[in-house]
Amino acid sequence: MPTPEPLTRAAALAPRTADDQTRTVRLVWSTGAAVIRQDMTGHYREVLSLDTGAVDLSALIGAPVLNAHRRGELRDVLGTVREAGIAGAEAWAIVEFSRRPDVEPIWQDVVAGVIRNVSAGYDVQDWQDSTDPATGERIRTAVRWTPRELSLVPIGADAGATTRSQENSMTGTTAAAPAIDRAAIDTEIRAI
């Protein structure tokens, strides 16, 4: 049976938190904001729940940071996720960029604030379906889901995600780096 197709969601980098020495930057990769999707039934609003227990961060620690969800070659990997957590209405991560020469221009654009958008690739294990009583619009809320990768992307979908400075407090659920399972995600990722 084929692995379900991971979904993606975009958010924003926090270039003011970039550290040249460690080549790390803090980012917000989801605020749970509704994103318009479409399936065989039609359009719906997709919401990623950030409630306690909804997000399984275990696969994200040590996961790749990719160039626009590309995963066909090793050069598509820009770095790795070192830490991740949920703080209130924000899913955040600290990512480390590779020191490879081909990644240097991307790192410099992140530091300069030129590249700011992030998208998360994720699998949904459990949906909660509802209808907006005011508009009749379908709402699908991911109430149990697993982020698998983060990508730098040109355009983000999560308009509520904003850049963060080092002074911002990021407290909440945190996952520490476990032993890393580097198995490749072998299904096609649908980019926003």
Side-chain angles (χ1 to χ4, degrees):
M1 178 177 205
T3 304
E5 176 181 317
L7 301 169
T8 62
R9 178 69 68 96
L13 276 170
R16 291 182 293 168
T17 64
D19 182 331
D20 266 330
Q21 247 183 338
T22 61
R23 290 181 70 92
T24 59
V25 66
R26 184 185 301 259
L27 54 88
V28 173
W29 51 270
S30 179
T31 64
V35 172
I36 301 300
R37 299 273 194 201
Q38 183 171 334
D39 62 12
M40 298 292 281
T41 310
H43 289 89
Y44 64 92
R45 276 187 284 168
E46 179 191 84
V47 177
L48 297 177
S49 173
L50 298 178
D51 291 344
T52 302
V55 188
D56 178 1
L57 296 173
S58 63
L60 189 58
I61 308 302
V65 175
L66 302 175
N67 182 353
H69 298 294
R70 288 187 225 145
R71 56 193 177 81
E73 298 184 30
L74 291 175
R75 69 177 173 209
D76 297 331
V77 177
L78 303 175
T80 189
V81 178
R82 292 296 181 209
E83 297 178 42
I86 308 294
E90 295 180 338
W92 60 271
I94 294 176
V95 300
E96 180 180 345
F97 282 77
S98 170
R99 294 185 184 278
R100 291 190 332 259
D102 62 310
V103 176
E104 185 61 24
I106 295 169
W107 170 248
Q108 291 306 318
D109 280 349
V110 168
V111 171
V114 173
I115 296 175
R116 301 175 53 101
N117 294 310
V118 176
S119 180
Y122 54 94
D123 298 323
V124 177
Q125 291 79 43
D126 195 15
W127 293 99
Q128 181 178 55
D129 294 319
S130 61
T131 304
D132 184 323
T135 65
E137 185 178 27
R138 250 183 343 136
I139 302 169
R140 299 201 79 204
T141 303
V143 293
R144 200 166 59 85
W145 58 285
T146 305
R148 302 283 180 186
E149 56 92 354
L150 299 178
S151 285
L152 300 184
V153 294
I155 299 173
D158 190 336
T162 60
T163 59
R164 298 295 182 261
S165 68
Q166 291 177 334
E167 293 79 34
N168 288 106
S169 173
M170 293 275 194
T171 58
T173 305
T174 303
I180 297 170
D181 177 5
R182 300 252 186 227
I185 298 171
D186 60 1
T187 57
E188 183 155 330
I189 294 175
R190 177 178 63 189
I192 293 178

